[in-house]
Amino acid sequence: MNQVAVFTLNGCRFCQDLKDKLISEGIHFHDIEITKNREIWEQILSQTGDDALPTVFIQTDKEGNGLVYTPGRDFYEINDILKIIKKNI
């Protein structure tokens, strides 16, 4: 199973909605709060050029490579990213 990381910000309603949905679906994920993990978040920003949240990273191999999905570019609704996550885990 591929690892899922969700980049979030405390107080972000869309972030909380996604986390709640993942929990209710029984999908394990790592919650990475961006103010506490600036270095990792800066890497995501440099790769995507997009600072929208929640951003989702799905690891696709043992070396830690993966796919990054951002709202407005790759998905618009919680159910959209949920389908993407389920397809890739």
Side-chain angles (χ1 to χ4, degrees), residues 2-86:
N2 293 329
Q3 298 291 317
V4 176
V6 180
F7 291 87
T8 64
L9 178 66
N10 287 337
C12 168
R13 186 71 216 143
F14 196 40
C15 299
Q16 190 60 53
D17 289 347
L18 176 57
K19 293 188 293 184
D20 291 346
K21 189 67 170 173
L22 291 171
I23 291 167
S24 73
E25 294 279 334
I27 297 171
H28 177 74
F29 66 97
H30 301 281
D31 181 7
I32 302 175
E33 209 282 340
I34 65 169
T35 62
K36 296 176 184 172
N37 297 280
R38 282 310 285 173
E39 188 174 310
I40 297 169
W41 179 238
E42 292 297 330
Q43 289 176 322
I44 296 294
L45 288 176
S46 71
Q47 290 176 4
T48 65
D50 193 350
D51 65 351
L53 293 171
T55 292
V56 175
F57 171 78
I58 303 173
Q59 183 177 335
T60 57
D61 64 27
K62 292 180 182 178
E63 288 77 36
N65 299 307
L67 305 168
V68 177
Y69 298 94
T70 62
R73 183 188 77 181
D74 302 303
F75 64 94
Y76 294 95
E77 303 289 331
I78 295 294
N79 287 332
D80 296 338
I81 189 58
L82 189 61
K83 288 177 191 174
I84 292 169
I85 291 169
K86 286 179 176 181

